[in-house]
């Protein structure tokens, strides 16, 4: 098998949905024009409403144009779209699966895909388990090549529901055939965390509780809940962002160097971080976690409504749209170093950043006692900018001998001069090549739910009578600032 140019059928369940249109089709196209998809591939779009292959190809084309892919590539786009097929489908009907199987067998023959099949579940999670079992019972997983299941979040809503789902899909696919997507793991600068840490003599020796005072991970959004309230009301920011993306970033920042850069070793180091996370009892949760819900406010020059006024939310909703937390990792490297996280909707900026704050020198000749010393900071800009900034102190030019903080900047954009690949583009390519390193293993999912569950239980038991408690267009409730202040720290916010 040519591993760099894999052959496969890709079945997308939920092919008329938002994810397929906004992310999957453009990513597949970029892989195609980048020469990373051989001609031996076909995509079968599966969804409820009836549609012909031609109509589906038109939708795909529209999605590519919508994504800003150049229309002058018309010819290429048409050839690409000719690989797309549509299959109207009822997830509950055996016949649907049997017919889908015949289509797959025919396409496998036509495109010489050697029996390789990816089943991509880009749809409502309540169907995940049922689809996986039907794929097995109707023979779709019995193929001469490899088979892989790609599954979007949410993977359950707590540990018991995640276990149940896992059992259902494990009946049909083995763990190494399951690719649980966390799209943050496909982001360029999230992948860069390991390189920054493990390829630099400058950082790794300092990457521990002797030299780091705290680590901050912020992922803020300006968007509100939009038309996703149906899902979000049951989820909230804790399940939507913290259980997956935020904890995954923490794991990459905290893990030990893996002995090799392969899937097993990297995952096993991340799992050890999850195992070392300190769990909080229901009574302790308020000391470590802050929840928030946005009220109306101004974003740029736009007035926006509060969460409780959004369509499909309850006027008394207790759902958090913001979470800040202090995590403690009880192991030798990190004992005593807080990892602060915060994420929320309708905040002042769309931005994901990591700040590593180093401890001050025990004695600094340039900052006499009582004078504020600017700590060294390493800022990893995940998005929208991609790069790193190192904040250090230097001499102010001139005769005074005073110091001044300076920044050393590295920006991906200006160095590479191109937009880095979309997270989904990488992840689909990894899945085609059978590399599961940047997908979440079941053990990571289970351990992160275990950690999250005690927090959500504490919150469910105690209504947030103070909601809504932050204004749209701000960085969240004041209590989130106090969470750091009581430890003698502050949130660092930087633009590049
Ligand atoms: C998704 C959440 O997983 O991540 C969304 O469900 C959130 O609510 C999104 O908006 C944020 O992703 P990104 O890549 O825009 O930071």
């Amino acid at each position: 098998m040519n591993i760099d140019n894999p052959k496969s059928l890709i079945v997308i369940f939920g092919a008329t949905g938002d994810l397929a249109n906004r992310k999957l089709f453009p990513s597949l196209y970029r892989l195609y024009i980048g020469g990373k998809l051989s001609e031996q591939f076909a995509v079968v779009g599966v969804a409820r409403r009836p549609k012909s292959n031609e109509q589906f190809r038109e939708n795909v084309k529209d999605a590519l144009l919508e994504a800003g892919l150049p229309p002058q590539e018309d010819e290429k786009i048409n050839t690409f779209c000719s690989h797309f097929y549509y299959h109207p489908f009822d997830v509950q009907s055996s016949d649907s699966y049997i017919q889908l199987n015949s289509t797959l067998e025919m396409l496998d023959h036509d495109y010489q895909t050697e029996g390789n099949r990816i089943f991509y579940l880009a749809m409502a999670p309540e169907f995940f388990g049922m689809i996986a079992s039907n794929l097995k019972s109707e023979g779709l997983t019995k193929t001469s090549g490899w088979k892989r299941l790609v599954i979007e979040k949410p993977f359950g809503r707590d540990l018991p529901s995640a276990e149940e789902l896992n059992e259902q899909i494990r009946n049909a696919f083995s763990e190494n055939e399951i690719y649980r997507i966390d799209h943050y793991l496909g982001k360029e600068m999230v992948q860069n965390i390991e390189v920054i840490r493990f390829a630099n003599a400058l950082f790794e020796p300092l990457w521990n509780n002797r030299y780091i005072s705290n680590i901050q991970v912020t992922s803020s959004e300006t968007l509100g809940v939009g038309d996703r309230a149906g899902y979000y009301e049951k989820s909230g920011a804790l399940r939507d962002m913290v259980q997956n993306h935020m904890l995954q970033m923490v794991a990459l920042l905290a893990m030990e160097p893996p002995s090799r850069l392969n899937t097993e070793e990297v995952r096993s180091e991340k799992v050890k971080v999850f195992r070392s996370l300190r769990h909080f009892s229901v009574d302790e949760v308020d000391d470590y976690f802050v929840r928030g819900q946005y009220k109306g406010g101004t974003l740029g020059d736009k007035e926006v409504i509060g969460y409780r006024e959004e369509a499909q939310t309850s006027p008394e909703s207790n759902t958090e749209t913001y979470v800040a937390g202090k995590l403690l990792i009880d192991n030798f490297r990190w004992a005593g170093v807080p990892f602060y996280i915060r994420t929320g909707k309708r905040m002042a900026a769309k931005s994901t950043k990591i700040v590593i704050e180093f401890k001050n020198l025990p004695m600094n000749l340039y900052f006499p006692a009582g004078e504020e010393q600017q700590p060294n900071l390493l800022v990893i800009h995940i998005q929208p900018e991609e790069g790193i900034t190192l904040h250090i102190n230097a001499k102010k030019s001139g005769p005074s001998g005073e110091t001044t903080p300076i920044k050393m900047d590295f920006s991906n954009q200006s160095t590479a001069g191109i937009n880095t690949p979309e997270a989904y583009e990488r992840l689909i390519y990894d899945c085609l090549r059978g590399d599961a390193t940047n997908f979440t293993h079941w053990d990571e999912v289970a351990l992160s739910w275990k950690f999250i569950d005690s927090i959500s239980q504490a919150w469910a038991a105690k209504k947030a009578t103070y909601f809504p408690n932050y204004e749209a267009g701000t960085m969240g409730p004041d209590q989130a600032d106090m969470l750091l202040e009581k430890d003698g720290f502050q949130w660092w916010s930087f633009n590049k």
Side-chain angles (χ1 to χ4, degrees), residues 88 91 100 110 166 174 197 242 252 337:
V91 279
L100 176 63
D110 292 354
N166 202 45
S174 62
R197 290 191 51 196
V242 180
L252 290 170
V337 180

Side-chain angles (χ1 to χ4, degrees), residues 23 153 183-184 187 219 221 223 228 231-232 240-241 244-245 345 350 352 383:
K23 301 287 184 190
K153 64 177 269 265
H183 77 281
Y184 268 56
K187 290 185 192 281
S219 192
E221 296 189 74
L223 287 180
R228 293 172 73 221
Y231 150 76
Y232 202 84
D240 186 48
M241 290 291 292
N244 37 68
H245 313 319
K345 303 235 177 251
K350 167 76 184 165
T352 305
Q383 62 184 16

Side-chain angles (χ1 to χ4, degrees), residues 11 110 116 140-141 147 160 206 227 254 266 296 370 381 424 483:
V11 187
D110 292 354
N116 299 332
L140 284 83
T141 52
K147 60 178 192 299
L206 305 183
D227 53 12
V266 172
H381 307 265
Y424 274 95
L483 187 69

Side-chain angles (χ1 to χ4, degrees), residues 154-434:
F155 199 92
R157 65 178 318 275
D158 51 18
L159 182 58
S161 58
E163 277 172 337
E164 194 184 322
L165 171 60
N166 202 45
E167 239 165 71
Q168 286 172 321
I169 63 173
R170 283 295 300 274
N171 272 330
F173 295 86
S174 62
E175 177 62 31
N176 63 11
E177 292 171 330
I178 303 170
Y179 288 68
R180 297 180 193 81
I181 291 251
D182 184 311
H183 77 281
Y184 268 56
L185 295 180
K187 290 185 192 281
E188 177 71 19
M189 289 306 293
V190 172
Q191 297 194 347
N192 213 340
I193 295 174
E194 279 174 77
V195 185
I196 292 168
R197 290 191 51 196
F198 304 135
N200 289 299
L202 194 60
F203 296 127
E204 192 46 31
L206 305 183
W207 211 265
N208 56 53
N209 52 7
R210 263 186 293 164
Y211 300 103
I212 290 178
S213 68
N214 73 92
I215 293 187
Q216 306 177 6
V217 185
T218 300
S219 192
S220 59
E221 296 189 74
T222 49
L223 287 180
V225 74
D227 53 12
R228 293 172 73 221
Y231 150 76
Y232 202 84
E233 273 283 85
K234 289 190 229 109
S235 151
L238 187 69
R239 294 185 175 92
D240 186 48
M241 290 291 292
V242 180
Q243 181 267 336
N244 37 68
H245 313 319
M246 303 301 282
L247 288 184
Q248 284 292 328
M249 286 190 280
V250 168
L252 290 170
L253 288 162
M255 73 183 193
E256 293 299 314
S259 60
R260 293 204 165 60
L261 284 176
N262 62 29
T263 307
E264 289 70 34
E265 298 303 332
V266 172
R267 281 171 158 186
S268 110
E269 293 307 336
K270 282 164 68 191
V271 165
K272 285 189 211 154
V273 175
F274 289 119
R275 283 209 200 106
S276 313
L277 268 182
R278 188 179 306 172
H279 285 235
F280 304 117
S281 69
V282 167
D283 293 336
E284 287 171 326
V285 166
D286 283 348
D287 295 333
Y288 293 89
F289 274 81
V290 171
R291 54 182 158 163
Q293 188 190 72
Y294 64 84
K295 46 183 148 186
T298 318
L299 252 165
D301 48 12
K302 222 174 90 197
E303 292 290 314
V304 294
I305 54 174
Y307 179 74
R308 290 178 178 185
E309 285 91 61
E310 304 268 12
Q312 286 182 285
T313 60
S314 146
E316 280 161 32
S317 175
N318 199 39
T319 302
E320 78 286 350
T321 60
Y322 176 99
V323 177
K326 170 177 167 180
L327 312 184
L328 293 168
I329 298 170
D330 291 325
N331 64 19
F332 215 79
R333 186 187 283 260
W334 295 116
V337 180
F339 281 65
Y340 300 107
I341 55 163
R342 62 176 166 166
T343 181
K345 303 235 177 251
R346 283 281 189 242
M347 291 174 65
K350 167 76 184 165
S351 160
T352 305
K353 276 186 194 22
I354 295 165
V355 180
I356 291 100
E357 179 174 337
F358 292 90
K359 287 186 174 167
N360 285 334
L361 290 171
M363 180 184 138
N364 192 317
L365 297 169
Y366 296 95
F367 299 92
E371 208 169 286
E372 192 132 320
Q373 180 174 344
Q374 162 77 30
N376 291 147
L377 304 172
L378 171 67
V379 185
I380 305 177
H381 307 265
I382 309 281
Q383 62 184 16
E385 315 90 14
E386 294 181 351
I388 55 179
T389 309
L390 192 57
H391 293 246
I392 56 178
N393 296 302
K395 180 179 169 301
K396 206 182 240 176
S397 296
S400 77
E402 281 174 59
T403 67
T404 184
I406 61 163
K407 291 194 293 185
M408 291 168 74
D409 246 334
F410 158 76
S411 158
N412 252 8
Q413 226 88 11
S414 51
T415 312
I418 45 159
N419 283 331
T420 51
E422 264 268 1
Y424 274 95
E425 189 179 332
R426 278 168 210 284
L427 296 176
I428 294 172
Y429 187 53
D430 283 354
C431 174
L432 280 160
R433 290 181 307 134

